[in-house]
Amino acid sequence: MRFFLIWIFWPFFISDSTGYWGFYAHALINRLAVFSLPEEMIGFYKPQIQYITENAVNPDRRRYAVKGEAEKHFIDLDFYGDSALQILPKYWNEAVEKLTEDSLRANGIGPWSAYFTFLNLTKAFESKNSAAILRLSADLGHYIGDLNVPLHTTVNYNGQLTDQIGIHGFWESRVPELQAKDYPLWVGQAEYVEKPQLALWDAVAEAHGKVDSVLMVERELTQNFSPDRKYSYEERNNLTVRVYSREFTEAYALALNGQIERQMKKSIKMIADFWFTAWVNAGQPDLSVFPKKTLEEEIIIPDAKIKVRDH
């Protein structure tokens, strides 16, 4: 029954295409995570599933409006060398003491920031703040999704160092938009995470291990595709835009052997697990008695003074 419920909502997913796991993919990932929650939680989350879905992209919108937001979405592990995962302290205070906060922020604070969002979600459950629970759940889903994207873990985040500019949006936006409807994305029941902070770092390490294949496969395929076959043009919002062709996209996904599907499923499972763990750590409060509030749309106004890297 749950599998059926997931797919009847398919037409309502956001299908914009601007990168960062893609608005479409972030919305899809957050939405499907709701269906892995236990009975005690899904009654609270499901009536607000549209909010969880639509607000999955708010952290990306905030990148251009809130100073300090952009660095929450990534970590450039290779900036620290081949031994980054051994060098970097997993706990924020230790990392700041060793490397300074400014240095850390300059190269991304993704896993540390996601953990702080998780702690804030736990506090929201404890204080029975329904609006904060939903807002932080949507945000945490976004940050966890980003940490499972290989190109969110590298200095060469958009192939700009290897003459592969555009690969970021290609991997996390174009491929899911064309193929995710055929992915079997049911991931089972949410499970308790014993060490959330370390689990985030494990996800980063796994994603980073895929960077070479993400770049190499695209480079090798490009040698076999002329530009007019690699790219095509589509109408989007009354504009004609150049996109990776369906032929090239399908060949890339096939050569990656399901990598993007696996990372999407991992994101969905992690998000559900972290929401569940925050609730358990808060003492498993009865969500059915939490106050039902009208959720206000977050007002996000871009600030031209804030400069963030495009990926």
Side-chain angles (χ1 to χ4, degrees):
M1 183 61 174
R2 281 192 172 181
F3 185 83
F4 171 74
L5 287 171
I6 289 172
W7 292 105
I8 65 173
F9 286 110
W10 181 268
F12 299 100
F13 289 140
I14 296 172
S15 58
D16 196 359
S17 175
T18 51
Y20 328 114
W21 245 138
F23 279 14
Y24 168 81
H26 268 306
L28 172 60
I29 288 167
N30 262 20
R31 190 176 196 109
L32 295 187
V34 170
F35 293 93
S36 286
L37 295 174
E39 182 178 351
E40 297 90 340
M41 296 182 71
I42 200 168
F44 175 83
Y45 275 81
K46 191 180 172 195
Q48 300 294 344
I49 196 168
Q50 201 63 21
Y51 178 92
I52 294 288
T53 301
E54 294 174 354
N55 287 274
V57 301
N58 278 357
D60 275 334
R61 296 170 59 211
R62 265 183 239 129
R63 292 170 70 242
Y64 303 95
V66 179
K67 185 177 180 180
E69 172 66 35
E71 56 260 38
K72 297 178 180 180
H73 297 245
F74 69 94
I75 181 168
D76 291 338
L77 286 180
D78 37 14
F79 171 83
Y80 301 97
D82 294 339
S83 302
L85 290 167
Q86 288 71 48
I87 293 171
L88 287 170
K90 304 301 185 293
Y91 304 98
W92 177 248
N93 290 340
E94 294 177 11
V96 169
E97 183 176 349
K98 182 174 182 178
L99 297 164
T100 78
E101 182 169 345
D102 287 346
S103 177
L104 292 169
R105 288 185 176 275
N107 299 289
I109 58 172
W112 296 293
S113 180
Y115 182 67
F116 288 140
T117 303
F118 164 76
L119 293 180
N120 287 333
L121 176 58
T122 304
K123 293 176 183 176
F125 277 120
E126 292 173 342
S127 61
K128 300 182 180 180
N129 188 333
S130 300
I133 290 169
L134 293 168
R135 175 177 57 80
L136 289 164
S137 292
D139 283 0
L140 182 58
H142 184 105
Y143 296 135
I144 287 176
D146 278 352
L147 294 180
N148 282 288
V149 174
L151 293 171
H152 277 263
T153 72
T154 176
V155 173
N156 192 21
Y157 52 86
N158 196 25
Q160 76 280 5
L161 303 180
T162 50
D163 195 26
Q164 295 173 279
I165 292 177
I167 193 172
H168 197 119
F170 178 46
W171 188 97
E172 64 181 9
S173 192
R174 179 64 169 168
V175 175
E177 284 178 358
L178 293 183
Q179 297 205 332
K181 65 182 182 296
D182 297 319
Y183 294 164
L185 294 175
W186 169 242
V187 297
Q189 289 284 343
E191 299 173 293
Y192 184 77
V193 183
E194 292 288 346
K195 298 179 179 179
Q197 198 157 8
L198 297 183
L200 291 167
W201 281 98
D202 288 343
V204 169
E206 182 177 337
H208 188 63
K210 302 179 189 302
V211 170
D212 286 347
S213 62
V214 168
L215 296 168
M216 180 187 66
V217 168
E218 194 276 345
R219 188 183 305 114
E220 291 179 349
L221 277 177
T222 297
Q223 295 175 1
N224 299 319
F225 278 76
S226 61
D228 63 315
R229 289 180 60 221
K230 180 176 179 179
Y231 299 103
S232 61
Y233 292 88
E234 293 182 359
E235 293 292 325
R236 301 224 174 168
N237 299 320
N238 296 319
L239 294 174
T240 301
V241 296
R242 190 175 81 155
V243 296
Y244 290 89
S245 70
R246 289 178 178 269
E247 181 186 8
F248 187 80
T249 301
E250 291 170 359
Y252 182 65
L254 181 64
L256 284 176
N257 193 30
Q259 181 192 86
I260 297 173
E261 175 188 334
R262 290 192 297 274
Q263 291 306 103
M264 288 186 72
K265 292 181 73 171
K266 183 175 177 60
S267 297
I268 294 166
K269 183 64 164 61
M270 277 192 72
I271 292 165
D273 289 350
F274 270 66
W275 290 346
F276 174 63
T277 302
W279 174 71
V280 171
N281 287 355
Q284 302 182 48
D286 183 356
L287 300 181
S288 67
V289 301
F290 277 30
K292 306 294 189 296
K293 296 182 179 179
T294 301
L295 298 173
E296 297 182 1
E297 187 68 27
E298 182 177 353
I299 299 175
I300 301 174
I301 302 175
D303 184 346
K305 296 179 181 179
I306 296 178
K307 304 299 181 184
V308 299
R309 68 191 197 185
D310 291 327
H311 56 262

